[in-house]
Amino acid sequence: MAENTDVVVIGGGYAGVMAANRLTRRDDVTVTLINPRPSFVHRLRLHQLVGGTGDAVVDYREVLADGVALVVDTVTRIDAAARGVTLASGGTVGYDHLVYAVGSGSPDPDVPGAARFAYPVATLEDAQRLRPALDAASASAPVTVVGAGPTGIETAAELAEAGRTVTLVCGGVLGPYLHPRGRRSVARTLAGLGVTVLDGTDSKVTAVTRDTVRLADGRTLPSGVTIWTAGFGVPDLAARSGLSTDALGRLLTDETLTSVDDERIVAAGDSAAPSGLPLRMSCQTAMPLGARAADTVLSRIAGERPATLNQPFAAQCLSLGRRTGVFQFAHRTDVALGFHLDGRTGAKLKEMVCSGVVKHLADEARKPGAYRLHRIPGGAQRRQLLETRRAEAPSVADPVA
């Protein structure tokens, strides 16, 4: 009888759940998922939770395989030498292989007053704190959303459609990822919803107070509620555990998602930095990386050589309230194309993506190995970039102790 292998997955988001489900392909593998929350957070819907138009929580029984043991706790340290993790509750869990999928959250803003007076929206807890603040503010109170990436745009649109007076402060370009045509479509829709969009370098926020937002050009905006969506940060668990990370704190790996320090540790999702060239933080990246991380572990258990990651992209989709949206098509290298679909079609496509994500996870839970999007051909440009870097220097990553 084959010896049992214990695999611990840290983090129960898109990448962690995909990896955990896929690992149950082998009957001789025991999978433990450690997550601080008892429910799955569907981050693509957090702006709906903030706007009061939907929920962002899914029961793990809907997306997690029956064979995965869920431990509701927080990992405070990884002991790679002893192959174990320490829990906030005081216990420890040993492992033969570890999947590091701790995800991302709100960074500590370095703008004076932002940490004290602005509300982030990157996590479930952030959204749950923001919702009562909005409810407590008068219906006419001005709302300022700082940051014009997908989260900022979607949050601003959701609140404006609900009747709020919203100003979206870009600090630069509206929707930096978008093609100019897609950007114009988003701008028209936001204007139709009554959102005031402030873009350009002069719109950078220099300070936040209890009821104002100050900009680089000297303007002071009244703000009853300020929402901070500028950027993402990652937990410092890897760095605290003595593992090599990039400057942001993502675990440094090779192209099989294996830690540069320990072949028994693999990473997936927003907290992974393959070859020091991390991919865009998104569920479009997280789920394929979760599948790839699981495949790497399963290959090692089988004594096989793991395959390298192959990450093609397809699009970025935005909801602009409940009735419209933009589906921005992209090249496989994650560069936006000139073609997009907007209006009700864009909204329907966005909803299909949100529902499809949960379905992919549920399908993998019922039939491990069913997910195959991480094997779609692509990644030639990434391989070329890696080869160029290797030719220029012997190391493809610059570890941060």
Side-chain angles (χ1 to χ4, degrees):
M1 183 175 179
E3 183 179 352
N4 194 73
T5 301
D6 293 317
V7 183
V8 168
V9 180
I10 307 177
Y14 299 116
V17 170
M18 175 58 73
N21 288 343
R22 198 171 186 85
L23 286 164
T24 62
R25 295 178 72 181
R26 290 183 62 122
D27 293 335
D28 59 348
V29 172
T30 299
V31 185
T32 301
L33 177 69
I34 304 175
N35 191 64
R37 307 176 192 89
S39 300
F40 176 78
V41 177
H42 196 2
R43 285 181 67 175
L44 293 180
R45 296 197 188 276
L46 282 177
H47 64 286
Q48 289 185 249
L49 177 61
V50 169
T53 61
D55 196 2
V57 175
V58 178
D59 194 310
Y60 268 122
R61 288 175 294 185
E62 296 183 28
V63 296
L64 196 61
D66 292 338
V68 177
L70 175 64
V71 174
V72 181
D73 211 325
T74 300
V75 175
T76 58
R77 186 173 182 274
I78 300 167
D79 188 339
R83 295 181 194 164
V85 299
T86 303
L87 305 178
S89 62
T92 60
V93 179
Y95 65 82
D96 295 306
H97 295 272
L98 179 73
V99 178
Y100 186 82
V102 297
S104 61
S106 302
D108 292 328
D110 57 4
V111 173
R116 181 179 179 186
F117 297 113
Y119 292 87
V121 70
T123 68
L124 176 64
E125 291 76 18
D126 290 338
Q128 289 173 333
R129 284 190 291 268
L130 171 57
R131 183 67 239 171
L134 287 165
D135 290 341
S138 69
S140 60
V143 176
T144 304
V145 179
V146 180
T151 304
I153 291 171
E154 292 187 324
T155 302
E158 204 76 28
L159 294 175
E161 190 176 72
R164 294 284 183 173
T165 302
V166 181
T167 298
L168 178 61
V169 179
C170 302
V173 178
L174 172 68
Y177 179 91
L178 299 170
H179 186 275
R181 294 175 185 171
R183 185 174 300 118
R184 287 193 290 270
S185 176
V186 170
R188 285 194 299 270
T189 300
L190 290 175
L193 290 170
V195 177
T196 300
V197 176
L198 303 179
D199 58 5
T201 57
D202 288 344
S203 68
K204 289 185 178 179
V205 175
T206 58
V208 178
T209 70
R210 188 179 303 278
D211 52 12
T212 65
V213 172
R214 298 172 189 165
L215 305 184
D217 61 3
R219 283 177 291 177
T220 298
L221 309 176
S223 184
V225 179
T226 301
I227 303 172
W228 198 270
T229 72
F232 288 93
V234 299
D236 63 352
L237 175 61
R240 282 190 285 111
S241 301
L243 298 170
S244 297
T245 67
D246 68 0
L248 191 64
R250 292 170 288 214
L251 185 68
L252 278 176
T253 76
D254 64 14
E255 289 295 286
T256 70
L257 301 181
T258 303
S259 165
V260 298
D261 302 309
D262 190 332
E263 72 170 13
R264 290 179 177 267
I265 299 176
V266 300
D270 293 352
S271 54
S275 302
L277 293 171
L279 300 158
R280 174 164 57 92
M281 291 183 178
S282 68
C283 84
Q284 187 176 179
T285 302
M287 291 203 304
L289 290 186
R292 176 60 61 199
D295 285 355
T296 292
V297 172
L298 293 172
S299 293
R300 288 221 160 84
I301 293 172
E304 301 169 353
R305 183 176 181 177
T308 56
L309 69 88
N310 187 41
Q311 185 71 38
F313 289 85
Q316 183 181 87
C317 47
L318 302 172
S319 64
L320 301 170
R322 294 299 87 210
R323 294 184 293 274
T324 189
V326 169
F327 193 89
Q328 170 68 71
F329 287 88
H331 191 273
R332 287 185 178 183
T333 57
D334 204 24
V335 176
L337 297 171
F339 180 57
H340 71 274
L341 295 171
D342 54 18
R344 290 189 177 275
T345 300
K348 289 179 180 179
L349 288 171
K350 168 67 185 227
E351 182 57 32
M352 285 176 59
V353 168
C354 289
S355 300
V357 165
V358 173
K359 185 178 184 303
H360 277 309
L361 295 175
D363 287 347
E364 189 69 16
R366 289 191 295 268
K367 186 180 178 182
Y371 185 84
R372 302 186 63 83
L373 294 182
H374 64 307
R375 296 180 178 176
I376 294 175
Q381 188 177 67
R382 179 180 177 86
R383 289 191 292 272
Q384 184 178 17
L385 178 59
L386 287 170
E387 289 171 3
T388 301
R389 289 187 62 180
R390 287 171 182 144
E392 293 173 350
S395 174
V396 298
D398 184 16
V400 176

